[in-house]
Amino acid sequence: MKKKYIYTNKRHSNRAVMSTILGILSNASLTAVIYLSYQSGGDIPAGYGMTGFLAVIFSLIGLVLGVVTARDREYYRLFPWLGILLNLISLSVLVLIIYLATYM
């Protein structure tokens, strides 16, 4: 039985993992805020808005970290692209919420 070895210097970037974690945190907090505001019938405290603002900050930082790491060829591509995807989803949900709040 032959053993196959893969010789590579690639590894996962800490910045890319942090980008993915920030995307998960941002999406989880937005999901919680949307659910809680739906349960209260739209009567929401100011803390929910602050949570949305922090989700924007997390998403922007995570997006930058993901893009910077995705451009570097010495790292694997899984976590940078996963971080970019999660942060873009979070930012698009926030843009949709702001659009609906403004024009509805």
Side-chain angles (χ1 to χ4, degrees):
M1 183 170 182
K2 285 186 175 182
K3 291 186 178 182
K4 295 183 181 181
Y5 296 101
I6 298 175
Y7 298 103
T8 182
N9 293 350
K10 287 187 176 186
R11 54 188 163 75
H12 291 290
S13 169
N14 292 336
R15 291 181 294 190
V17 173
M18 190 64 190
S19 171
T20 304
I21 290 171
L22 287 173
I24 291 170
L25 284 174
S26 180
N27 283 320
S29 64
L30 282 177
T31 302
V33 165
I34 290 170
Y35 176 75
L36 292 173
S37 65
Y38 178 75
Q39 289 295 327
S40 67
D43 185 30
I44 58 173
Y48 290 0
M50 188 62 180
T51 303
F53 179 71
L54 287 174
V56 168
I57 300 297
F58 286 169
S59 293
L60 289 175
I61 292 171
L63 188 63
V64 168
L65 288 173
V67 168
V68 166
T69 308
R71 295 179 66 192
D72 197 355
R73 294 193 182 269
E74 71 180 57
Y75 296 114
Y76 288 118
R77 301 276 187 233
L78 173 68
F79 283 113
W81 286 107
L82 188 60
I84 290 170
L85 178 70
L86 288 172
N87 288 304
L88 283 177
I89 289 171
S90 175
L91 285 174
S92 64
V93 167
L94 285 165
V95 166
L96 180 67
I97 289 171
I98 292 171
Y99 175 77
L100 290 175
T102 304
Y103 295 108
M104 294 300 257

